[in-house]
Amino acid sequence: AIDPQFHENREKVGEENGVAVWGPVDEPEELGIHGTHVAVDYDLCIADGACLEDCPVDVFEWVDTPGHPESEKKAEPTHEAQCIDCMLCVDVCPVDAIDVDAG
Ligand code: SF4
Ligand code: F3S
Protein backbone atom coordinates (compact mmCIF):
# COMPACT_ATOMS: atom_id res chain seq x y z
CA ALA A 1 0.00 0.00 0.00
CA ILE A 2 1.00 3.63 -0.46
CA ASP A 3 2.98 5.06 2.46
CA PRO A 4 0.69 7.63 4.12
CA GLN A 5 3.82 9.32 5.54
CA PHE A 6 5.34 9.82 2.10
CA HIS A 7 5.58 13.59 2.66
CA GLU A 8 8.18 12.89 5.31
CA ASN A 9 9.75 9.73 3.91
CA ARG A 10 10.27 10.87 0.32
CA GLU A 11 11.60 13.93 -1.45
CA LYS A 12 9.79 16.03 -4.00
CA VAL A 13 11.77 15.59 -7.22
CA GLY A 14 9.68 17.57 -9.67
CA GLU A 15 6.27 18.22 -11.13
CA GLU A 16 4.25 16.61 -13.91
CA ASN A 17 0.82 17.59 -15.22
CA GLY A 18 0.63 20.21 -12.48
CA VAL A 19 1.13 17.77 -9.59
CA ALA A 20 4.17 17.08 -7.42
CA VAL A 21 6.29 13.97 -8.00
CA TRP A 22 7.84 12.31 -4.93
CA GLY A 23 10.85 10.15 -5.66
CA PRO A 24 12.74 8.03 -6.10
CA VAL A 25 12.16 8.05 -9.85
CA ASP A 26 14.06 5.93 -12.37
CA GLU A 27 12.07 5.97 -15.62
CA PRO A 28 10.44 3.98 -17.00
CA GLU A 29 10.45 1.30 -14.27
CA GLU A 30 10.18 3.50 -11.17
CA LEU A 31 7.86 6.49 -11.22
CA GLY A 32 7.32 7.50 -7.59
CA ILE A 33 4.22 9.04 -6.02
CA HIS A 34 2.22 11.66 -7.93
CA GLY A 35 0.20 14.34 -6.12
CA THR A 36 0.12 15.72 -2.61
CA HIS A 37 -3.42 16.14 -1.25
CA VAL A 38 -4.54 13.28 -3.49
CA ALA A 39 -1.54 11.02 -4.02
CA VAL A 40 -1.20 8.00 -6.31
CA ASP A 41 1.72 5.60 -5.96
CA TYR A 42 2.53 5.07 -9.62
CA ASP A 43 4.65 2.05 -8.79
CA LEU A 44 1.60 0.29 -7.27
CA CYS A 45 -1.13 1.44 -9.71
CA ILE A 46 -2.25 -1.36 -12.04
CA ALA A 47 -4.58 0.89 -14.09
CA ASP A 48 -7.71 -0.63 -12.58
CA GLY A 49 -9.61 2.59 -13.32
CA ALA A 50 -12.05 2.49 -10.40
CA CYS A 51 -10.77 5.83 -9.14
CA LEU A 52 -11.48 7.52 -12.48
CA GLU A 53 -14.95 5.99 -12.66
CA ASP A 54 -15.99 6.69 -9.09
CA CYS A 55 -14.52 10.09 -8.23
CA PRO A 56 -17.55 12.43 -8.07
CA VAL A 57 -15.52 15.50 -9.08
CA ASP A 58 -13.24 13.94 -11.74
CA VAL A 59 -9.92 14.47 -10.02
CA PHE A 60 -8.12 11.79 -12.08
CA GLU A 61 -6.94 11.59 -15.69
CA TRP A 62 -5.10 8.79 -17.49
CA VAL A 63 -1.46 9.33 -18.40
CA ASP A 64 0.60 6.89 -20.47
CA THR A 65 3.53 5.19 -18.75
CA PRO A 66 5.04 2.87 -21.38
CA GLY A 67 7.56 0.43 -19.98
CA HIS A 68 6.30 0.43 -16.40
CA PRO A 69 6.16 -3.15 -15.06
CA GLU A 70 2.73 -2.83 -13.36
CA SER A 71 0.76 -1.00 -16.07
CA GLU A 72 1.28 1.20 -19.11
CA LYS A 73 -1.06 3.94 -17.91
CA LYS A 74 -1.66 5.55 -14.52
CA ALA A 75 -4.28 7.67 -12.80
CA GLU A 76 -2.91 11.20 -12.44
CA PRO A 77 -4.62 13.32 -9.73
CA THR A 78 -4.50 16.31 -12.08
CA HIS A 79 -7.42 18.08 -10.43
CA GLU A 80 -6.54 17.30 -6.82
CA ALA A 81 -7.56 20.83 -5.80
CA GLN A 82 -11.19 19.85 -6.56
CA CYS A 83 -11.14 16.90 -4.12
CA ILE A 84 -14.00 16.89 -1.60
CA ASP A 85 -12.38 14.24 0.64
CA CYS A 86 -15.10 11.64 0.10
CA MET A 87 -12.46 8.87 0.28
CA LEU A 88 -14.17 6.77 -2.40
CA CYS A 89 -11.02 6.41 -4.46
CA VAL A 90 -9.09 5.21 -1.41
CA ASP A 91 -11.75 2.57 -0.77
CA VAL A 92 -12.11 1.30 -4.34
CA CYS A 93 -8.48 1.02 -5.43
CA PRO A 94 -7.71 -2.73 -5.41
CA VAL A 95 -4.01 -2.23 -4.68
CA ASP A 96 -4.31 0.64 -2.15
CA ALA A 97 -2.30 2.96 -4.36
CA ILE A 98 -4.13 6.15 -3.29
CA ASP A 99 -3.75 8.35 -0.21
CA VAL A 100 -6.02 11.31 0.47
CA ASP A 101 -4.80 13.63 3.19
CA ALA A 102 -8.15 14.70 4.61
CA GLY A 103 -6.43 16.29 7.60
FE1 SF4 B 1 -12.27 12.09 -5.75
FE2 SF4 B 1 -13.28 11.53 -3.35
FE3 SF4 B 1 -10.89 10.58 -4.07
FE4 SF4 B 1 -11.15 13.17 -3.55
S1 SF4 B 1 -11.41 11.48 -2.09
S2 SF4 B 1 -10.06 12.27 -5.30
S3 SF4 B 1 -13.23 13.56 -4.32
S4 SF4 B 1 -12.88 10.05 -5.01
FE1 F3S C 1 -4.65 2.83 -10.36
FE2 F3S C 1 -6.00 2.18 -8.19
FE3 F3S C 1 -6.92 4.02 -9.79
S1 F3S C 1 -4.95 0.77 -9.56
S2 F3S C 1 -6.19 3.46 -11.80
S3 F3S C 1 -5.02 4.13 -8.62
S4 F3S C 1 -8.14 2.50 -8.74
Side-chain angles (χ1 to χ4, degrees):
I2 185 170
D3 174 9
Q5 307 300 324
F6 73 90
H7 312 83
E8 284 126 59
N9 295 337
R10 292 176 178 236
E11 285 189 23
K12 204 189 270 191
V13 296
E15 207 173 272
E16 273 174 41
N17 307 305
V19 306
V21 178
W22 304 78
V25 170
D26 183 13
E27 292 177 3
E29 295 90 2
E30 193 175 24
L31 299 174
I33 289 177
H34 281 221
T36 301
H37 178 71
V38 180
V40 177
D41 191 324
Y42 267 32
D43 295 310
L44 298 178
C45 175
I46 56 170
D48 176 82
C51 57
L52 273 96
E53 282 167 31
D54 290 359
C55 177
V57 292
D58 295 333
V59 161
F60 304 96
E61 284 179 9
W62 288 123
V63 300
D64 292 324
T65 57
H68 190 271
E70 295 298 338
S71 59
E72 301 222 320
K73 61 179 182 176
K74 307 290 178 184
E76 185 80 293
T78 314
H79 306 293
E80 62 181 345
Q82 295 174 12
C83 175
I84 56 170
D85 298 345
C86 72
M87 305 310 256
L88 253 180
C89 58
V90 172
D91 292 342
V92 295
C93 177
V95 291
D96 290 330
I98 308 176
D99 179 70
V100 174
D101 183 11

